[in-house]
């Protein structure tokens, strides 16, 4: 007996943004999914992760990954449940993580689906503290940052998915940790809940001075995940032999032409030379994909024991994803942004 | 019987340059040296090394080393001969290398004097291919560059003291090596004598296109020793996981304010991120001073066997040093620039 076709809701890219994305760049549509072939599984999306890197996929400028094509589903990682299986490796009810995109259902041949670790308070943690953002934080800090007790680390977006983990791991390693966040609420959370030594509000008119004061021994590691004015404020504070892991530049993602002068590049080059600084870009799964077990074996106990805290900003309903994503690029979220696509 | 006092000729810094140095920034003067105290040696300078980093010492902008004070002797490395010794570690006639400065004689307590390796065709090699520039080339390439056979390396100032060694060592390691130099004579030398695969004339109007054509498989290592337009031409050619050891920025040394826009920094940051590039500044003796034996044991046999060639640009007479140094910053030298201060 043929099965009832599965109705899939999905959000496709309608047009490439000029500058900041707008709701008009996206369209919600409904399509029937085909029946499963041998080896395939049908997935029901429970939680969709929204992350800054997705802005890059909306552009067709050269990047490290192919862009989303017009009229194609927006890419994105998600936690899903197996609804039907014609693949012996998966059983109905299994929870998996995969790059299944902005949609309510998807069909997969099972490759690149990872099991969600057992015993999580919420499966959405596999998209945050125990997922791509957490691993970005951990690998960039440990491998490029090379943290040493007593050093000073600065990280921006300190209440966010990556920054919050960077700072807490650095605290566990004995560093002085200075966060940067937007607004008093986030700064309070970063200091009181996450235990950073200081948190500077980048919206303050005295931001650069405040940062310099908090980094009274200079900066040994700047974990770069935002770019823009934070970078400018940190560079003069760098100590000799400082390290800058670079995983994101959210401040510049919406720019569509080179900013006017002055040209800040020569001054940066001089600093890199005279302070003997290392700056290194990385893409977590490309560069460290084989070290996921190492990451999970360090992070999972820390999370279980409450040594690493995290906060989620949960938005309900797939149709809310475009607006939530636009807000993410403006810093309107507070914690790891996920969309609850299905209640169960 | 008291000895005749030694007359020292020396070149002191009269004023700090605004932009390019001029002869008026220097003064040649003669002073009598005091008698040796116990533990001291009197040195007669044979060869003085002139190097781009000295431009930095003429400024009082913050840098990795203290500036030369006004009316003080210009700093610089030199090969000297022991003329008198009241230090049991040194005998009259010994040849040593030390940071003794732009002068005909100097007095030292023996600390930081290194013996000149035996058997050199000329002791001036201890200032070039077997000295600071050669070690800068070797350590930056090997430690930060991490060369792998089959990769493509680009280095500017390819006929100079650092660039010529970078390219030749990279050839020995099996890389495709593209040099950049100013003018047809230097380019011919770099290809025909040093054996680079290609050498691009940065004075050509088609420079960026020529470079792209020579780097048809992209650029895996860019050894940065000049900055400026070469950097701009290389950045779009970088391959994923490229490495940029950064030891000098001669193109910008004479600049005294931030250049006008456009601001090239955001584009560089994007490249570092999307191509996962590592850029790292270094100062050879600060970062690798303890690895000098490793350098000498690799380089000395290569030089002896003719696998690494070098060229010196020898200027006669200490009084010529300022003009020769000014020319160095303009690329007028051809090979490692040294001043023969004394004939023997």
């Amino acid at each position: 007996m043929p099965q009832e076709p599965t109705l899939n809701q999905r959000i496709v890219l309608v047009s490439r943004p000029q500058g900041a994305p707008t709701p008009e760049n996206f369209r919600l549509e409904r399509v029937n999914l085909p029946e499963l072939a041998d080896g395939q599984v049908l997935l029901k999306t429970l939680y969709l992760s929204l992350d800054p890197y997705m802005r890059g996929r909306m552009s067709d400028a050269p990047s490290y990954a192919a862009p989303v094509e017009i009229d194609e589903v927006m890419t994105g990682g998600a936690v899903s449940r197996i609804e039907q299986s014609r693949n012996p490796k998966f059983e109905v009810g299994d929870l998996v993580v995969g790059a299944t995109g902005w949609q309510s259902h998807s069909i997969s041949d099972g490759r690149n689906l990872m099991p969600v670790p057992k015993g999580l308070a919420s499966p959405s943690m596999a998209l945050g503290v125990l997922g791509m953002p957490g691993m970005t934080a951990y690998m960039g800090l440990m491998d490029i940052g090379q943290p040493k007790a007593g050093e000073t680390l600065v990280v921006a977006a300190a209440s966010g998915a990556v920054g919050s983990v960077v700072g807490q791991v650095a605290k566990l390693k004995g560093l002085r940790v200075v966060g940067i966040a937007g607004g008093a609420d986030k700064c309070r959370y970063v200091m009181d809940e996450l235990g950073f030594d200081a948190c500077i509000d980048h919206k303050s008119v005295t931001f650069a001075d405040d940062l310099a004061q908090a980094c009274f021994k200079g900066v040994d590691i700047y974990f770069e995940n935002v770019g823009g004015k934070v970078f400018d404020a940190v560079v003069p504070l760098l100590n000799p032999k400082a390290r800058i892991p670079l995983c994101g530049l959210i401040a510049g993602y919406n720019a569509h032409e080179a900013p006017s002068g002055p040209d800040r590049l020569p001054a940066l080059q001089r600093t890199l030379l005279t302070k003997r600084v290392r700056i290194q870009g990385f893409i977590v799964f490309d560069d460290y994909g084989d070290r996921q077990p190492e990451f999970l074996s360090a992070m999972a106990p820390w999370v279980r024991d409450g040594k690493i805290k995290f906060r989620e900003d949960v938005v309900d309903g797939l149709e809310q994803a475009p607006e939530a994503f636009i807000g993410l690029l403006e810093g309107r979220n507070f914690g790891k942004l996920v969309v609850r696509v299905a209640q169960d």
Side-chain angles (χ1 to χ4, degrees), chain A:
Chain A
M1 187 180 76
Q3 293 199 306
E4 189 82 9
T6 301
L7 184 68
N8 182 34
Q9 288 194 68
R10 62 188 196 181
I11 291 175
V12 299
L13 181 66
V14 174
S15 55
R16 303 200 184 282
Q18 303 296 315
T22 64
E24 289 67 40
N25 297 129
F26 304 93
R27 182 178 64 237
L28 178 69
E29 59 182 30
R30 289 173 178 77
V31 293
N32 281 328
L33 289 180
E35 279 190 50
L36 293 189
D38 253 1
Q40 290 185 330
V41 293
L42 175 67
L43 299 164
K44 180 177 182 180
T45 308
L46 302 184
Y47 289 96
L48 166 67
S49 180
L50 294 179
D51 301 281
Y53 77 85
M54 294 166 171
R55 176 63 183 83
R57 300 293 187 286
M58 299 179 77
S59 292
D60 53 6
S63 185
Y64 53 92
V68 175
E69 297 297 334
I70 298 295
D71 290 331
E72 274 197 1
V73 180
M74 283 290 294
T75 51
V79 167
S80 300
R81 192 177 55 215
I82 307 283
E83 293 286 285
Q84 300 170 21
S85 177
R86 295 187 59 182
N87 182 318
K89 293 184 188 150
F90 298 92
E91 288 186 22
V92 171
D94 285 354
L95 296 185
V96 294
V97 184
T100 49
W102 296 25
Q103 52 190 344
S104 66
H105 295 79
S106 60
I107 291 175
S108 165
D109 62 7
R111 280 185 293 186
N112 302 318
L113 294 182
M114 303 273 298
V116 171
K118 303 285 179 199
L120 301 186
S122 159
S124 60
M125 289 164 66
L127 302 175
V129 66
L130 293 175
M132 184 275 286
M135 186 162 157
T136 297
Y138 180 84
M139 294 310 317
L141 174 63
M142 299 303 289
D143 193 67
I144 303 172
Q146 302 276 339
K148 293 170 200 66
E151 291 188 328
T152 298
L153 172 138
V154 170
V155 63
S159 66
V162 174
S164 62
V165 175
V166 168
Q168 291 179 91
V169 173
K171 281 304 296 176
L172 289 171
K173 299 289 174 188
L175 282 76
R176 175 174 171 81
V177 173
V178 177
I180 297 167
D185 280 358
K186 288 180 179 175
C187 284
R188 215 167 13 245
Y189 167 75
V190 166
M191 292 181 64
D192 296 350
E193 295 296 317
L194 303 182
F196 286 30
D197 297 288
C199 190
I200 311 301
D201 184 351
H202 67 71
K203 296 177 178 173
S204 160
V205 290
T206 56
F207 165 62
D209 289 340
D210 297 347
L211 184 66
Q213 213 153 28
C215 301
F216 51 84
K217 291 192 296 182
V219 175
D220 301 292
I221 304 175
Y222 173 48
F223 194 105
E224 171 64 292
N225 56 351
V226 296
K229 72 176 178 184
V230 174
F231 189 83
D232 290 352
V234 169
V235 166
L237 307 176
L238 292 173
N239 284 332
K241 304 286 290 175
R243 289 84 66 197
I244 306 181
L246 166 63
C247 78
L249 295 165
I250 190 168
Y253 285 170
N254 286 335
H256 56 290
E257 57 186 22
S260 59
D263 181 5
R264 297 176 299 154
L265 180 56
L268 174 66
Q269 290 174 316
R270 264 196 306 279
T271 299
L272 295 180
L273 175 59
T274 59
K275 300 279 185 69
R276 304 130 69 205
V277 172
R278 173 179 179 178
I279 175 166
Q280 182 165 353
F282 70 103
I283 308 290
V284 69
F285 287 132
D286 291 358
D287 293 321
Y288 300 110
D290 57 331
R291 293 171 70 175
Q292 193 162 28
E294 171 191 339
F295 158 68
L296 285 172
S297 68
M299 190 63 65
W302 283 335
V303 173
R304 189 193 56 220
D305 300 344
K307 289 182 177 167
I308 299 278
K309 296 175 181 162
F310 65 98
R311 180 181 175 124
E312 290 183 341
D313 189 334
V314 181
V315 171
D316 265 303
L318 180 65
E319 68 283 2
Q320 301 299 326
E323 194 59 43
F325 178 67
I326 290 165
L328 173 69
L329 295 177
E330 294 168 0
R332 278 195 265 128
N333 60 304
F334 188 172
K336 171 67 190 107
L337 183 60
V338 293
V339 177
R340 183 155 42 200
V341 179
Q343 290 292 343
D344 66 294

